[in-house]
Amino acid sequence: MNALPPLLYEDVVRRALQEDLGLAGDLTTDAIVPSGTRAEALLVAREAGRIAGMDAAVLAFRLLDPGIACELRAADGLDVEAGATLAVLRGEARALLTAERTALNLLGRLSGIATVTASVVRSLHGLPTRVVCTRKTTPGLRVLEKQAVRAGGGFNHRFGLDAAVLVKDNHRAIAGGIGEAVERARRGVGHMVKIEVEVDTLAELQEALSVGVDAVLLDNMSPATLRQAVRLVDGRVLTEASGGITPANAREIAETGVDLISIGWLTHSAPSLDVALDIT
Amino acid sequence: MNALPPLLYEDVVRRALQEDLGLAGDLTTDAIVPSGTRAEALLVAREAGRIAGMDAAVLAFRLLDPGIACELRAADGLDVEAGATLAVLRGEARALLTAERTALNLLGRLSGIATVTASVVRSLHGLPTRVVCTRKTTPGLRVLEKQAVRAGGGFNHRFGLDAAVLVKDNHRAIAGGIGEAVERARRGVGHMVKIEVEVDTLAELQEALSVGVDAVLLDNMSPATLRQAVRLVDGRVLTEASGGITPANAREIAETGVDLISIGWLTHSAPSLDVALDIT
Amino acid sequence: MNALPPLLYEDVVRRALQEDLGLAGDLTTDAIVPSGTRAEALLVAREAGRIAGMDAAVLAFRLLDPGIACELRAADGLDVEAGATLAVLRGEARALLTAERTALNLLGRLSGIATVTASVVRSLHGLPTRVVCTRKTTPGLRVLEKQAVRAGGGFNHRFGLDAAVLVKDNHRAIAGGIGEAVERARRGVGHMVKIEVEVDTLAELQEALSVGVDAVLLDNMSPATLRQAVRLVDGRVLTEASGGITPANAREIAETGVDLISIGWLTHSAPSLDVALDIT
Amino acid sequence: MNALPPLLYEDVVRRALQEDLGLAGDLTTDAIVPSGTRAEALLVAREAGRIAGMDAAVLAFRLLDPGIACELRAADGLDVEAGATLAVLRGEARALLTAERTALNLLGRLSGIATVTASVVRSLHGLPTRVVCTRKTTPGLRVLEKQAVRAGGGFNHRFGLDAAVLVKDNHRAIAGGIGEAVERARRGVGHMVKIEVEVDTLAELQEALSVGVDAVLLDNMSPATLRQAVRLVDGRVLTEASGGITPANAREIAETGVDLISIGWLTHSAPSLDVALDIT
Amino acid sequence: MNALPPLLYEDVVRRALQEDLGLAGDLTTDAIVPSGTRAEALLVAREAGRIAGMDAAVLAFRLLDPGIACELRAADGLDVEAGATLAVLRGEARALLTAERTALNLLGRLSGIATVTASVVRSLHGLPTRVVCTRKTTPGLRVLEKQAVRAGGGFNHRFGLDAAVLVKDNHRAIAGGIGEAVERARRGVGHMVKIEVEVDTLAELQEALSVGVDAVLLDNMSPATLRQAVRLVDGRVLTEASGGITPANAREIAETGVDLISIGWLTHSAPSLDVALDIT
Amino acid sequence: MNALPPLLYEDVVRRALQEDLGLAGDLTTDAIVPSGTRAEALLVAREAGRIAGMDAAVLAFRLLDPGIACELRAADGLDVEAGATLAVLRGEARALLTAERTALNLLGRLSGIATVTASVVRSLHGLPTRVVCTRKTTPGLRVLEKQAVRAGGGFNHRFGLDAAVLVKDNHRAIAGGIGEAVERARRGVGHMVKIEVEVDTLAELQEALSVGVDAVLLDNMSPATLRQAVRLVDGRVLTEASGGITPANAREIAETGVDLISIGWLTHSAPSLDVALDIT
């Protein structure tokens, strides 16, 4: 996959390092390992999974020693087996030891998201349905987590509140109806902004279709209702199923014919992938 | 529990909001909800759990509207049932809607950590063993996640590399032995810094005890070996079991008599607690 | 118009103040005006125009004296005559004098943009064409300048590179054609992202229509060609005229029937509106 | 001209890039142009003018790809013809395309200021009068705009409120007269700070001369009055004409014999110079 | 004396607090003192001295508890006896205890500078000579230290490299002489910038006078030579003695008739004033 | 000694430079010294002392010219004679002149601290007592000043409030006694946090020993009482003498047998070491 420009995430990595180093730095390593000691270290996966976050992880080491040499064995988007070497790093032993935890925290979390996403994507094999993430990301890590979802084969819903209109129940209630809410949105935003509306029932779906939107979010509908909704829409707008979707029921939902299924779980509850740094 | 000074986390919340608002802000709400519309909203738990992160969540709303009134119904450290109202918020409807996701992302993640921690702590009922977290926290969120572990009844291992010495295998290898590594650490750090050594075998444990440390991290030992280790230590230093501990086997490990069990899983893989904002 | 949350621009105003105060602050005022001196000041327009940036301007004063009382006489989006009072400010004389230039620099520039925009919008009276701005904004001020365009009755094109796809000539060249470029974009981005393509000829327009896009940017076409383009498109996608459009020829362009005309000039070359602060 | 140390403006350029990239980065380029694609691009002037801001513009590209090679064909302070190539850039195609707008926004604005300044300076050919800018600069860009004025052959008035004393009418009013105001300033500031007083009439000028100042700002005086003022001053202090000076009347004002004419218009209303990036 | 706007120093105080709190905050106070405990505390001087830095010190407490009530008993610029109460603070006991050291570090250092300055100023009683500080200030604290010098009755030399021209020996050497150096400076800087030249001998002084400068820095001259220099200058420019001046020899230097004596020692080596916080 | 990772202090150096450069930069050097002029400069000690802060000082030059070549002749922790060359720098003359003061301010202050510390350490020759610093450091410079103390042969007490528990009189008073205060601390903090208690009398010392702590701070005790305290403790916990300790009485205090003497004076009142930059 294409890499992100470091400008988008280097502050995240720098802050993560500073959080771990505090004021006094790595007391243990500074006391035990002399400056100038060279070492080689392997980034390894302790369990099988889909990799994401390699660039951010490597940057953690480089922020402590710009001279770290890194030989990449895996890239974002790759599936690896347990025990696989992801990268070989050579440089200041102190930098390798001090940045280890920061790098692993980033790599483990992001690969965890990619791994879960990939497993859901795989479960939809043969179906055209796209798996998309939500805004339920870890505060401060959205840009990296959205990238991890793409590494897992998923797609990104809007990055933030500024990226598209999504009319939810509260907006409808305040505006006094779907029609009025969508109308206000269309008048208020630029021509390059898409509009999606959340609907809970087929009646609401009908109303949304009648006012003209780009996509409908079918919230918490049963597979049977989703099927009806897809028939009703009949290809006129994108259909997105949402609410309570898990790896377990994703295929059943996708088989209803919706274009997209969105899963907050991918980013807010994916367990970390077990990765480690082995000094050789 | 005691609250954290906002100085410790307000940048985290501000950055989370800015990440979601981007340059253009909340396109949907700004187009649909007029300035000056007042609303009341309930922060609710959709599932049972232990609460953490209330202050950070409420701050998200206040950063958009300093005039938000907040009536707290639950505080960090409290167990709540599914459906429980955690807080009643009143103020600008726009602020409530725009900050909703940021607040929920914080509250859900932190309460998820507290909930998992509380469940492990409960599983050790009657035993003196302390449950402690690690440095395997989400980059950027450590201060809040450490607080969430305390809300769950757990304790904090060191906050960062600057807070204590933990001699790991790589340090031992570079120093050429546990004795030399500990000696270097003792010479290099201040008198208020504790020293813990990771040991993998009883022989290493013996060596660590002979050089004098404050605590030993017994890494990846079986319950049987842990029992032997505890007997060997005989109360002279703190004993911490670590490696592969899950909610499922925590009690078995604790029953070996170790003083502490440390679990990275609490922070790197706890699923989010399901929380929501209901406009009333 | 709806106000922006201060979170979106307070750093801009703070930095502008710090830039003017430097390390030593306002040498003149500090030496001449005693702390505690109260004053009343009027923000006035020295020439007729459309107002924008009031909130940012008032914030400049409040960052120096949070107790400044401000009685607004004009709001963003209002047309005022020369001599009109925009706001009455009361508070510390030192704060009023020290923040004066920062406030006026913001208000003058943003009102200048709103004024120019409003004049173009007025020139299109009776036509359905929308006037939109571009990304040719002042570095660091985009959020405020986009708001100023809205205050002038214009609309916003995408806020940044992250907000929509706009396939330009260089993208087409690298991809090897419009079709391939659009195809790559569609595969690569989320479902909530619109795609617009810049075309220079009717042949290119035809190609763009055949691959399916949301909008076409008709670049540097003569009014005659624009008319043909509009006929060719026949309402299937949005049409945007761009390139060399000025207040002088805007109506002629709009009369070709395009949906939008985009004008970089609104933000990169609008002269400042003459505003002043009068101490009473 | 001498270059500014990047430390003075790199934050400005970084923030400008981040403003344009947002959270998600350049959606279009990232989707269409593969990493590793190399390109050559020309920075060109589409119209004749005086160049300023080359370093800041080039930095925008380098912040995305530190390996960009840049062959400068023009430097700040140079006059160029329409069509002139200003620089040849070679490197990552993605970096060139993504930073393009940020670089052009900086270069166009700053060259616009230099161009207007140069035209005023040229109009004073043969006269000793210096053209100076004011504090009416774009919020956040002062250091670069002051440099652009110098590139245009102008000089800088004080950079900020901390750089010199300028007693204005409001200061005089609060102090109760020019004499008292100047006296307070002289007592309050260090010995390396110059003092200038704004005067509106010849009587005020007389008063200012009698209390001893370094310069007088002759505000909004007619050419006839300016001539009288210059005679009255008779070389004892610097004389600066200000207020309503435009390129059109600058020579007439300068011919009155004042030492300096200051023009806010140079920075707050100069139209951008048309510059572009051509991928070759 | 006039107060500084907090905008000029609040980042300094915030960073100082964050430096002391680290990630985990005040472990001692948080564990021992319950939230909600109220306390009253006295800021007291343990030794006699001149006070400076009160606002910054009080801000340290307010950043932890905005509700802290503060009754000031002393202000910057006041001489106090040992044991004097400087302020009475009431509020959250935790905030008072946690911010104590940060507040005292600021207050002690700044009052130390004011005290030393005041003692030098007193030693010059009856002489017109001004005592001025230099740029030899503590990195990061210049704005507060310059204010402390003023609180001590001293005056400020330039705040930074951007505030005036000071031609030193190295500049002269590179330019090839005082005349050429001054000439370059005069051509290069704005009309509101003063020019001072450092001279080591009477011959150099003569040269400086012949090219016209605003002030001369007489570096490391004996009292006898200084007297000659003052006679030579004869009031045409300001004379500043510098180099090796201490509280002990300041009066002897001042009696030579120089206008100013500048002392780096005031800021780089003043011992801290002993101040404390007593909980009542 | 081991070097600190630049990540820990580069912001300090950058801010110090920005503070000195302001908005306009080094007016003198920019006007007089042409870009491209190369120079060689020596960092020299004008008086004898112990060096600290070399890395931070050199970084100041490198932030202005990354190409500065630096040949180190002295490192942190080395004693040098008056006149000793500490480093030879070669590069842009402008960078050398502009960063000079920032570099010297850092180097002089930190070497001053190291020099004072070294002199106290030397005065304890033959005794096992450790000299430790306190939290009475310069706001913003703690990490560098703690390193300077180590360069002087001293040791660091806790870096901040987050690094260990130190129960002071106010904590004891609020808790209602030493026993309760220590008990609360032990319950509240993690197992890697040491606990020290400040005691003023032998009775309090007895109480502290009975509740079990890691160290006792013997505050303001006479040498005779300190001797009794040491006997009473009898090696069970670390003993630290504090309060009113100066270079003059340090040996007398150390001879009482305490393990540590802590001296705030090392950081809050050490005079700067005289260092200079000589252009060759």
Side-chain angles (χ1 to χ4, degrees), chain C residues 177-222:
Chain C
I178 289 178
E180 172 65 13
V182 169
E183 184 49 35
R184 288 187 193 176
R186 192 173 293 121
R187 274 201 315 266
V189 302
H191 68 287
M192 292 303 285
V193 177
K194 282 199 176 175
I195 298 178
E196 181 168 8
V197 177
E198 179 187 309
V199 297
D200 300 326
T201 64
L202 295 176
E204 286 176 5
L205 171 59
Q206 197 83 58
E207 192 179 350
L209 291 172
S210 73
V211 296
V213 295
D214 296 291
V216 286
L217 187 153
L218 309 164
D219 198 36
N220 279 313
M221 291 183 176
S222 69

Side-chain angles (χ1 to χ4, degrees), chain E:
Chain E
M1 349 167 28
N2 276 330
L4 294 172
L7 193 80
L8 293 182
Y9 60 82
E10 67 192 5
D11 278 354
V12 172
V13 181
R14 179 172 286 110
R15 274 197 292 265
L17 263 179
Q18 287 171 329
E19 181 186 58
D20 203 21
L21 287 168
L23 204 58
D26 184 351
L27 296 180
T28 312
T29 299
D30 290 355
I32 296 176
V33 181
S35 285
T37 310
R38 310 289 296 175
E40 184 186 86
L42 307 180
L43 265 179
V44 295
R46 290 247 184 280
E47 56 179 328
R50 175 72 59 94
I51 296 306
M54 285 299 293
D55 288 347
V58 171
L59 182 58
F61 296 103
R62 291 233 165 98
L63 286 174
L64 285 182
D65 174 13
I68 292 277
C70 175
E71 200 181 299
L72 284 178
R73 299 280 172 86
D76 284 18
L78 199 79
D79 283 312
V80 300
E81 294 303 306
T85 296
L86 307 178
V88 185
L89 301 155
R90 290 184 192 86
E92 270 285 337
R94 294 172 63 154
L96 293 173
L97 291 170
T98 298
E100 170 184 350
R101 177 51 36 219
T102 298
L104 296 178
N105 284 353
L106 286 162
L107 185 60
R109 171 168 302 269
L110 296 170
S111 297
I113 290 171
T115 299
V116 166
T117 305
S119 106
V120 176
V121 168
R122 251 191 308 266
S123 79
L124 306 191
H125 182 70
L127 298 173
T129 327
R130 279 186 175 195
V131 174
V132 301
C133 56
T134 67
R135 284 168 43 244
K136 297 181 180 177
T137 55
T138 310
L141 297 184
R142 188 169 290 169
V143 62
L144 292 170
E145 295 191 347
K146 291 270 180 184
Q147 166 90 338
V149 166
R150 294 196 301 275
F155 287 82
N156 297 147
H157 210 298
R158 56 179 183 165
F159 267 68
L161 294 164
D162 62 330
V165 167
L166 179 45
V167 179
K168 299 204 171 182
D169 47 1
N170 290 322
H171 299 111
R172 278 159 25 193
I174 289 173
I178 288 179
E180 173 63 14
V182 169
E183 184 49 35
R184 287 187 193 174
R186 193 172 293 121
R187 274 200 316 267
V189 302
H191 68 288
M192 292 304 287
V193 176
K194 283 198 176 175
I195 298 178
E196 182 169 7
V197 177
E198 179 187 308
V199 297
D200 300 327
T201 64
L202 295 176
E204 286 175 4
L205 172 57
Q206 198 82 58
E207 193 180 347
L209 291 172
S210 72
V211 297
V213 294
D214 296 292
V216 287
L217 188 153
L218 308 164
D219 198 36
N220 278 314
M221 291 183 177
S222 68
T225 313
L226 284 173
R227 250 176 251 278
Q228 287 181 277
V230 169
R231 258 198 310 272
L232 198 64
V233 168
D234 195 23
R236 282 173 292 173
V237 302
L238 286 169
T239 52
E240 172 187 353
S242 177
I245 305 178
T246 63
N249 66 359
R251 186 166 184 99
E252 185 189 3
I253 300 291
E255 284 174 340
T256 63
V258 293
D259 297 307
L260 311 122
I261 58 177
S262 64
I263 314 183
W265 198 87
L266 299 179
T267 48
H268 70 56
S269 295
S272 193
L273 190 77
D274 192 2
V275 289
L277 187 82
D278 293 338
I279 302 283
T280 55

